[in-house]
Amino acid sequence: MSHTVNGIPASPGIVIGPTWTFSPPRADVEAYTVANPGVEQLRVRAAVAAAVEQLAALEERARATIGDEEAEIFAAHQMLIEDDDLLADIHNLIETRHVNAEAAVHEIIEATAESMLELDDDYFRARSADMRDIGRRVIYALMGVTADVGRLPPEPSIIIADDLTPSDTVQFDPANVLGLATVRGGPTSHTAILARSLGIPAVVSAPVELGSLANDTPAILDGLSGRVTFFPTTDEVEEAQAQRRDFLERLAGDHATRLEPALTRDGVHVEVVANIGNAEDARRAIDNGAEGVGLFRTEFLYLDRDTLPGENEQIAAYRAVAEIIGDRPLVVRTLDIGGDKAVPYLGFAAEANPFLGWRGIRLIDHHADVLLGQFRALLQASVGADLRIMVPMVASVEEAVQARGILNEAQVALHAEGRPQAERVQFGVMIEVPAAALMADKLAEVVDFFSIGTNDLTQYTLAVDRTNERVAALATPFHPAVLRLIAQTIEKAHAAGKWVGLCGEFAADPAAVPVLLGLELDEFSMAPSAIPTVKAAIRRLDRAECRAIAQDVLNLPTAAAVREYLAAHS
Ligand code: PEP
Ligand code: MG
């Protein structure tokens, strides 16, 4: 009998096919006493070497098929497993207790993962899952379990799993993955991000009874609505087929026109630009029709290392992007760490509430030098570019003024040193904290532009931790409170003659386009893969009509009412 479960949409598209349930191979570890600890230590060395080799291959594979950012996950895993302290602990345990290699690896990895969990810090919690992932890999190597056998779908299937690690996901042959549904995980989980990069429809937080689901169960997975239907009726299959055809046709049409500008039906040009993290993304952005970059996240230069990157290293990384972007607008965000991304060498301590803690521009008090260094590198890397620099997590006018002062200091110093630097430079702030949105009129007086970060603005306005799966469904930017803050930000900026972009995930949601267009947003910035679809959505709309839509939704009482209204007017 047809049976539907409702999860959270994580990657768009509709697929129909047989299910295949993924379960990691069992690696039940038995502890026993060994006569010769030296042999066990050698086995650990060999297994770690094998794990590193597998991870290097996965890194290569991810780099070739998905992108640099995803490949970095596996580079980080290699670093974790080769950690000297961790290996020393394992060897010591074998030496002192004469236990077998599997038991020693299991015990040390579990203890390390547990202590990371106890830190009550999202960054370390995520690391704890990584730790278990690599522990499993080493134990498989010790037991001679081949990670791949029996773990890969034999034919194109909808993969259902309790949860998937990045290494699980990358090992699947994309040709055999019609779609993905996981019981756990939120829309910002690694699986969701990978699925979007690969263009595979996905649903997360789907309450599927894995125990009673046989392989080859006929199913429909709808990554647009978040629904997964098992044993669909003929009518349901026919309807899904029609929806799938429409979706694919529209996608092909959007792709064909991706390089054309986004002009509304009444002739208003809206800038559609990309969120990127490195040069590879920049290339993909231009291929997908980006008219520039609206958010270059620079954290990657600072993460997974022990010391600050030097000026020359930074210049090289920024220049690689600036050269690809050429004359197009290039909005770079300065270092946004804290929250779920900690950098130990900058003196981060565990915090009870890292998202309310020492994050983003708040580093300026103790690390003005880091910001100055970044400004210097950006200015030197962007000679001839249309450079726009913005700072994250601003909550007050003082922070904006202070940051702008440091930018000015960098410009004056470079001039005095006779070094070439960008001639065209705008300075902006991200609007991510409700206080900043409420103070938009005053902030607009001290900056050249705003970029609204709806991922954080939603989290802070609605008091929902963006990394907490249990409240993931509450974190919607369609909530009228978030929309009112966006409206107010744009209105105040325009009154002061300043432009406004939006670089949170909201900009990539076609359902949000009429509202944002109606609120007169100047620039939409999103993952490169979303650009063709959003450009096409803009072309179908009339801005005058969207103004009326925007005013209507601002007066609705709930996020659900807003979504319903927008669905009825699409
Ligand atoms: C945002 O908060 O919307 C944003 C774009 O920044 P990040 O997701 O990097 O915090
Ligand atoms: Mg943010």
Side-chain angles (χ1 to χ4, degrees), residues 303 399 508 529:
L303 297 173
E399 286 164 341
S529 57

Side-chain angles (χ1 to χ4, degrees), residues 297 333 336 359 392-393 430 432 453-457 460 466:
R297 291 184 168 102
R333 178 178 75 187
D336 183 15
R359 177 180 178 201
M393 189 65 189
M430 288 196 68
E432 304 181 281
T454 42
N455 306 340
D456 278 313
L457 187 61
Y460 293 129
R466 61 191 273 188

Side-chain angles (χ1 to χ4, degrees), residues 440-441 444 450 488-500 522:
D441 54 340
F450 290 150
Q488 166 164 349
T489 302
I490 299 173
E491 187 193 322
K492 300 295 181 195
H494 285 178
K498 308 295 161 75
W499 66 271
V500 184
D522 302 293

Side-chain angles (χ1 to χ4, degrees), residues 325-523:
I325 300 306
D327 204 26
R328 303 172 179 95
L330 172 60
V331 180
V332 185
R333 178 178 75 187
T334 58
L335 183 59
D336 183 15
I337 49 173
D340 58 349
K341 301 173 206 137
V343 172
Y345 61 83
L346 286 178
F348 277 90
E351 295 181 349
N353 293 297
F355 278 115
L356 302 181
W358 200 44
R359 177 180 178 201
I361 194 62
R362 296 175 182 185
L363 270 68
I364 206 168
D365 279 342
H366 286 82
H367 284 300
D369 53 323
V370 174
L371 198 58
L372 182 71
Q374 194 171 19
F375 284 146
R376 284 180 58 99
L378 281 170
L379 290 166
Q380 293 176 80
S382 313
V383 178
D386 181 356
L387 178 65
R388 304 162 184 203
I389 301 178
M390 63 183 181
V391 290
M393 189 65 189
V394 166
S396 71
V397 172
E398 289 101 315
E399 286 164 341
V401 170
Q402 209 183 340
R404 187 162 205 160
I406 296 174
L407 174 61
N408 197 18
E409 208 180 298
Q411 288 171 310
V412 171
L414 290 174
H415 183 72
E417 293 164 27
R419 294 174 197 259
Q421 60 175 301
E423 308 79 24
R424 274 183 295 171
V425 185
Q426 294 186 31
F427 174 80
V429 291
M430 288 196 68
I431 303 290
E432 304 181 281
V433 179
L438 292 167
M439 296 301 289
D441 54 340
K442 301 296 176 200
L443 276 168
E445 289 172 13
V446 298
V447 303
D448 302 312
F449 70 96
F450 290 150
S451 184
I452 305 174
T454 42
N455 306 340
D456 278 313
L457 187 61
T458 306
Q459 130 162 300
Y460 293 129
T461 305
L462 305 178
V464 277
D465 178 344
R466 61 191 273 188
T467 61
N468 183 338
E469 293 156 21
R470 292 192 72 167
V471 289
L474 295 176
T476 168
F478 287 100
H479 192 298
V482 180
L483 296 177
R484 287 179 184 196
L485 289 175
I486 296 173
Q488 166 164 349
T489 302
I490 299 173
E491 187 193 322
K492 300 295 181 195
H494 285 178
K498 308 295 161 75
W499 66 271
V500 184
L502 193 151
C503 59
E505 297 291 315
F506 200 39
D509 188 337
V513 171
V515 186
L516 296 174
L517 208 51
L519 293 175
E520 311 214 350
L521 183 71
D522 302 293
E523 177 231 56

Side-chain angles (χ1 to χ4, degrees), residues 29 52 85 90 94 100 160 168 175 245 346 349 358 433 455 487 534:
V29 173
V52 168
D85 292 340
I90 295 171
I94 295 175
N100 56 320
I160 316 272
D168 297 330
R245 260 195 313 274
L346 286 178
W358 200 44
V433 179
N455 306 340
V534 170

